[in-house]
């Protein structure tokens, strides 16, 4: 039996589902809009100008084009209340410094990072006054017409090294958030688990050192709960295909099961399950122009230790029904 939404779902809950649906449709909406424009010849000159302009536009790597108006739309408050998504902070962050936040785990698509840092739905600017935080995403997202501009309105910028450097050099308070585990971590994201790919990821620590930015570990409880994923065991054809696709194209293809708008058992929307985003304490690093992995190691260890501390402090409150504990798998 399929579980179908009852007719008497209260309006606020309908609004929450609408906002999540809209968010999940950003890419298809932008692509459809672009294709639609292509079918209208009078628009071609404008499209050509737009495409040339976006080709030369440096904004994805120089701090994006944050629109406070877009970020503060009531839609995103509904989005945050859908799960609900809540932020817990372990320390105040002095806006005299710059910060590099690392978000863990990636989950299927880092919904929690988007909701808390890509919008004002969870009041992130009030929680950390004076900080201008950009959520960083794959550079290739900024090659998609219209979508690129939409992402930038939310303050998203490219995760390319040059982009991080540019943001962290913009003056006090300018900060960025990297979802360190990246797409490979999404293949390990099963409900109730906390599998992190972090042990050999020194790059983000070195970026912080090069720019004298402080590292802030962020651990999200529930990020892996909002989608169910079909397990692909090593040796199965699904596992083989997924790893081939990742090797060739760079992106991963987890087979996810979310919910629909009116159907609760199946669909592409995330499930209504709580996410608690714990923002840790800042780790001061030594400023160095060319840090090596060995130089980064000491901070990398402190960083992993703090993630473990946060996990132990909150695991029984926010993940009492977990399948497994925090694991640094790679
Ligand atoms: C954000 O702030 C508004 C107004 O100050 C408040 O009503 C709302 O509950 C806050 N949202 C969250 C998620 O804390």
């Amino acid at each position: 039996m399929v579980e179908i939404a009852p007719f008497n779902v209260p309006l606020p809950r309908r609004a929450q589902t609408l906002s999540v649906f809209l968010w999940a449709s950003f890419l298809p909406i932008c692509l459809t809009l672009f294709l639609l424009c292509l079918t209208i010849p009078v628009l071609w000159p404008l499209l050509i100008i737009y495409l040339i302009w976006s080709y030369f536009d440096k904004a994805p790597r120089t701090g994006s084009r944050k629109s406070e108006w877009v970020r503060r739309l009531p839609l995103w408050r509904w989005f945050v209340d859908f799960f609900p998504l809540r932020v817990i902070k372990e320390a105040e962050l002095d806006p005299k410094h710059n910060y590099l936040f690392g978000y863990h785990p990636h989950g299927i698509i880092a919904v929690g990072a988007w909701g808390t840092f890509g919008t004002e739905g969870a009041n992130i600017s009030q929680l950390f006054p004076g900080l201008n935080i950009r959520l960083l995403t794959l550079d290739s997202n900024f090659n998609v017409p219209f979508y690129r501009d939409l992402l930038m309105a939310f303050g998203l910028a490219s995760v390319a090294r040059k982009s991080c450097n540019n943001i962290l050099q913009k003056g006090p308070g300018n900060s960025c958030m990297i979802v360190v585990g990246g797409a490979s971590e999404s293949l390990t994201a099963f409900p109730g688990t906390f599998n992190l790919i972090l042990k050999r990821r020194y790059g983000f620590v070195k970026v912080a050192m090069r720019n004298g930015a402080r590292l802030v570990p962020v651990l999200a409880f529930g990020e892996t709960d909002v989608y169910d994923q079909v397990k692909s065991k090593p040796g199965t054809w699904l596992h083989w295909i997924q790893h081939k696709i990742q090797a060739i194209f760079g992106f991963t293809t987890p087979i996810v099961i979310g919910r629909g708008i009116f159907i609760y058992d199946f669909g592409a929307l995330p499930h209504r399950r709580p996410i608690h985003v714990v923002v840790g304490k800042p780790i001061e690093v030594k400023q160095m122009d060319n840090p090596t992995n060995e130089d980064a190691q000491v901070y990398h260890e402190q960083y992993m230790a703090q993630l473990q501390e946060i996990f132990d402090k909150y695991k029984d409150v926010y993940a009492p029904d977990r399948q497994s504990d925090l694991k640094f798998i790679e």
Side-chain angles (χ1 to χ4, degrees), residues 47-113:
L47 281 184
I48 291 172
I49 294 170
Y50 169 75
L51 290 177
I52 294 176
W53 169 79
S54 24
Y55 180 79
F56 289 104
D57 179 25
K58 292 199 172 62
R61 288 170 175 229
T62 54
S64 86
R65 270 191 207 98
K66 219 182 219 189
S67 155
E68 286 307 322
W69 182 81
V70 170
R71 284 169 56 92
R72 286 174 198 277
L73 285 174
L75 266 176
W76 312 126
R77 209 165 280 290
W78 306 341
F79 181 93
V80 161
D81 287 338
F82 173 87
F83 298 98
L85 190 55
R86 295 289 176 257
V87 183
I88 297 101
K89 68 172 175 184
E90 295 294 280
E92 298 296 332
L93 299 178
D94 185 344
K96 284 206 295 287
H97 305 293
N98 305 90
Y99 301 90
L100 194 161
F101 297 79
Y103 185 90
H104 314 267
H106 181 285
I108 300 298
I109 31 176
V111 184

Side-chain angles (χ1 to χ4, degrees), residues 94 97-101 208 211-216 282-285:
D94 185 344
H97 305 293
N98 305 90
Y99 301 90
L100 194 161
F101 297 79
N211 295 291
R214 294 168 186 215
L215 285 166
V216 183
I283 297 169
E284 207 179 323
V285 304

